[in-house]
Amino acid sequence: MEQVKYLLNHENISFTAINDSIKVTNPATKEILAYVKKSDETSLTDIIKNANLAFKSWSVALASFRSDILMKWYELVIQNRANLARLMTLEQGKSLNEASGEIAYAASFIKWFAAQTLRNDGDILTSVKKDEKLLVVKQPIGVCAAITPWNFPAAMITRKAAPALGAGCAMIVKPASQTPLSAYALASLAYAAGIPKDLFVIISGDAGMISTAFADSKIIRKISFTGSTEVGIKIYEKSAKTIKKLSLELGGNAPFIVFDDADLDKAVDGVMASKFRNSGQTCVCANRIYAQSGIYDEFCAKLNIAIKSLKLGNGLENGVNQGPLIDENALKKVEEHINDALKKGAKCLSGGKRSSLGGTFFEPTLLSDATKDMLVAREETFGPLCPVFKFKSDDEVIEAANDTDFGLASYIFTNDPKRQWKVSESLEYGMVGVNTGLISNEVAPFGGVKFSGLGREGSRYGMDEYTEQKYICLNL
Ligand code: SIN
């Protein structure tokens, strides 16, 4: 902790106990890392008012000025990558290697949107009358708020804040109470880069109170939330009163389909990359693995070998690639899904139980003979559990894959180009990976359909979420 303290030079962070604060603990060791002051309703009102004042001057600054500052922030994040990664492993538990990957991923959004800030262009439309010009200009929405999750403590902040700040908005972020330190560290680098303190603010405290204050505020014009569908629905309902613009990146139940003609080694690598990223704690993790009957046994055998090679432990230790789960509830959910599946006929090929390391460590688990009546078919596990279902035909697997309320990520492995196209088009999902288990990057639009949410993040579409289009009819 000592070597990362300089990143946490913020009035809200204390390393000695303070009353009524959020205690941040290391999920691998249970050691207390820091205490974070909570915001109350009065301070929140002031923060929102000040953000609005800061927005007024930031929004009229030249785009190149905002872009340069974002680029400076990017450079500082990259320069501090090793310590930001260390801080993330300490508070979140993911391996140092993965945390370092997340810092690069987080930084990529800042760089991408710094460039996009320079070309957030409007349009000139073809006139319908002589002597009239029809223009569309893009303007920043205003003060925005983000509520971000614990599974990606840095990237989910920059994916929202960078386009908002680039477009000219102010951004108030409420990070998850389990992982606020990465957020404060990113903010101190943002301030060092020249982003005004009132324009980009990190707040902590009671999630219900804060989301209600965001939703009720007429000053806040947009909320971007990443988290569960259950909470997303509540934010949607609360925001109706103020007709708030929303981006909701919610739960998934990703199908991962392996056809008989697939390259099985590549498919196994794909499952490992998708399912075991962050120990199964991502919204785009493969949740249901469908293997076609001709390769089912061979695929399960190969996958089993790969799963047995994973190394569980404290993310700071060399060679560890699987950390602890975030808390006891996460562990209970994995156990519930495994017990339910075993009762209904699944076979356990690897893992299946809490690790002898104790705490919230859970063994990477492979179940074969999964069927659609099991909980794992309907609910997102959010943990290191791989259930493999068997299917015969394309139509059967497309129907099974779409038989869920969710529609975020999906994956298919096949070497047949016709099948690649047909199945990709038939899947009711916002994103499809073909012969890959890793689809997220700053260039592509990330988001889902159905109960997986609204809006897109990253990419050139991501900045539109923070702008309003104003039509100007100019009679000359
Ligand atoms: C998430 O799980 O919420 C985000 C995953 C990603 O950006 O790839």
Side-chain angles (χ1 to χ4, degrees):
M1 193 63 189
E2 286 310 310
Q3 55 188 282
V4 299
K5 275 190 178 167
Y6 76 98
L7 286 167
L8 296 170
N9 181 16
H10 193 285
E11 64 202 18
N12 285 358
I13 308 275
S14 162
F15 297 102
T16 50
I18 40 173
N19 277 343
D20 193 29
S21 57
I22 296 168
K23 222 188 272 172
V24 187
T25 53
N26 179 336
T29 61
K30 305 296 169 212
E31 166 205 5
I32 297 173
L33 300 169
Y35 300 83
V36 178
K37 262 191 225 155
K38 292 183 184 168
S39 296
D40 56 26
E41 271 180 83
T42 321
S43 58
L44 201 48
T45 307
D46 289 342
I47 286 168
I48 296 172
K49 272 194 206 145
N50 292 338
N52 200 28
L53 288 178
F55 159 70
K56 302 260 185 262
S57 41
W58 180 256
S59 57
V60 295
L62 277 180
S64 59
F65 173 81
R66 295 197 299 266
S67 172
D68 286 349
I69 291 183
L70 284 177
M71 265 318 280
K72 184 93 205 335
W73 186 23
Y74 161 77
E75 280 154 16
L76 289 175
V77 171
I78 292 296
Q79 278 162 28
N80 289 276
R81 179 173 174 183
N83 280 340
L84 286 166
R86 192 175 177 81
L87 180 63
M88 190 187 297
T89 297
L90 285 168
E91 69 171 345
Q92 203 277 341
K94 64 177 71 179
S95 73
L96 204 48
N97 193 32
E98 262 198 69
S100 176
E102 185 184 332
I103 297 302
Y105 182 42
S108 75
F109 291 110
I110 307 177
K111 188 180 182 185
W112 168 264
F113 284 110
Q116 195 62 11
T117 297
L118 297 174
R119 57 180 85 98
N120 193 21
D121 303 327
D123 262 326
I124 298 179
L125 310 177
T126 308
S127 302
V128 292
K129 286 187 198 154
K130 230 170 152 240
D131 302 330
E132 228 169 52
K133 299 290 171 205
L134 312 179
L135 312 154
V136 178
V137 293
K138 289 192 184 169
Q139 294 190 312
I141 294 187
V143 180
C144 302
I147 303 175
T148 58
W150 51 262
N151 59 344
F152 287 89
M156 296 306 102
I157 292 177
T158 56
R159 188 154 82 183
K160 299 174 194 308
L165 297 170
C169 301
M171 176 55 103
I172 303 170
V173 180
K174 183 225 162 275
S177 319
Q178 296 94 329
T179 57
L181 303 183
S182 297
Y184 285 99
L186 281 173
S188 43
L189 297 175
Y191 304 145
I195 294 175
K197 284 194 171 167
D198 287 338
L199 187 82
F200 177 48
V201 192
I202 309 293
I203 55 160
S204 295
D206 179 76
M209 181 279 283
I210 292 174
S211 63
T212 302
F214 285 165
D216 287 350
S217 166
K218 288 188 184 162
I219 296 176
I220 292 179
R221 293 308 318 136
K222 151 119 198 172
I223 300 177
S224 177
F225 169 71
T226 296
S228 71
T229 297
E230 199 189 342
V231 175
I233 290 171
K234 285 192 188 140
I235 291 175
Y236 208 161
E237 283 169 354
K238 288 192 217 179
S239 300
K241 281 190 290 209
T242 49
I243 313 288
K244 198 89 71 206
K245 190 153 170 162
L246 291 176
S247 289
L248 300 173
E249 202 265 272
L250 310 176
N253 179 8
F256 189 110
I257 307 170
V258 186
F259 289 93
D260 281 344
D261 64 27
D263 174 335
L264 288 197
D265 293 322
K266 204 168 168 184
V268 168
D269 288 349
V271 175
M272 297 306 289
S274 166
K275 176 75 250 185
F276 293 100
R277 181 167 169 229
N278 199 15
S279 302
Q281 303 174 107
T282 87
C283 306
V284 289
C285 275
N287 199 55
R288 296 168 288 155
I289 293 140
Y290 293 95
Q292 205 162 8
S293 47
I295 48 91
Y296 188 87
D297 292 338
E298 190 188 350
F299 175 73
C300 287
K302 280 179 183 272
L303 187 55
N304 203 13
I305 294 171
I307 289 176
K308 285 190 191 305
S309 75
L310 291 171
K311 184 161 177 214
L312 194 58
N314 183 332
L316 292 182
E317 282 166 23
N318 254 347
V320 164
N321 47 32
Q322 295 295 294
L325 298 189
I326 194 71
D327 57 23
E328 180 64 25
N329 282 342
L331 210 72
K332 283 191 181 144
K333 180 142 198 208
V334 181
E335 279 182 326
E336 185 194 1
H337 280 190
I338 293 175
N339 293 338
D340 170 77
L342 292 177
K343 242 188 272 157
K344 292 174 180 159
K347 292 193 187 76
C348 183
L349 305 184
S350 271
K353 55 183 193 312
R354 291 176 184 233
S355 158
S356 55
L357 294 172
T360 55
F361 288 98
F362 199 92
E363 291 184 358
T365 299
L366 177 62
L367 297 182
S368 68
D369 300 88
T371 51
K372 67 173 184 196
D373 57 325
M374 297 174 179
L375 275 180
V376 280
R378 294 193 302 279
E379 291 177 10
E380 188 177 36
T381 308
F382 232 67
L385 163 61
C386 249
V388 192
F389 301 73
K390 193 185 278 186
F391 73 94
K392 288 203 177 86
S393 71
D394 292 26
D395 287 347
E396 177 196 348
V397 78
I398 291 169
E399 194 185 322
N402 288 338
D403 186 16
T404 169
D405 285 338
F406 299 95
L408 189 60
S410 56
Y411 307 88
I412 59 172
F413 276 70
T414 167
N415 282 328
D416 175 350
K418 266 198 184 160
R419 192 179 242 167
Q420 290 172 354
W421 187 243
K422 185 185 160 222
V423 180
S424 297
E425 280 200 321
S426 308
L427 288 172
E428 294 163 3
Y429 288 81
M431 300 177 283
V432 185
V434 180
N435 293 334
T436 176
L438 283 181
I439 53 176
S440 312
N441 57 58
E442 72 279 22
V443 178
F446 187 103
V449 299
K450 294 159 71 179
F451 280 60
S452 290
L454 303 173
R456 293 294 178 266
E457 295 196 314
S459 81
R460 65 193 161 90
Y461 310 103
M463 196 173 256
D464 289 344
E465 304 275 340
Y466 295 93
T467 59
E468 293 288 6
Q469 295 168 2
K470 180 178 281 174
Y471 159 54
I472 301 175
C473 179
L474 190 63
N475 196 294
L476 301 168

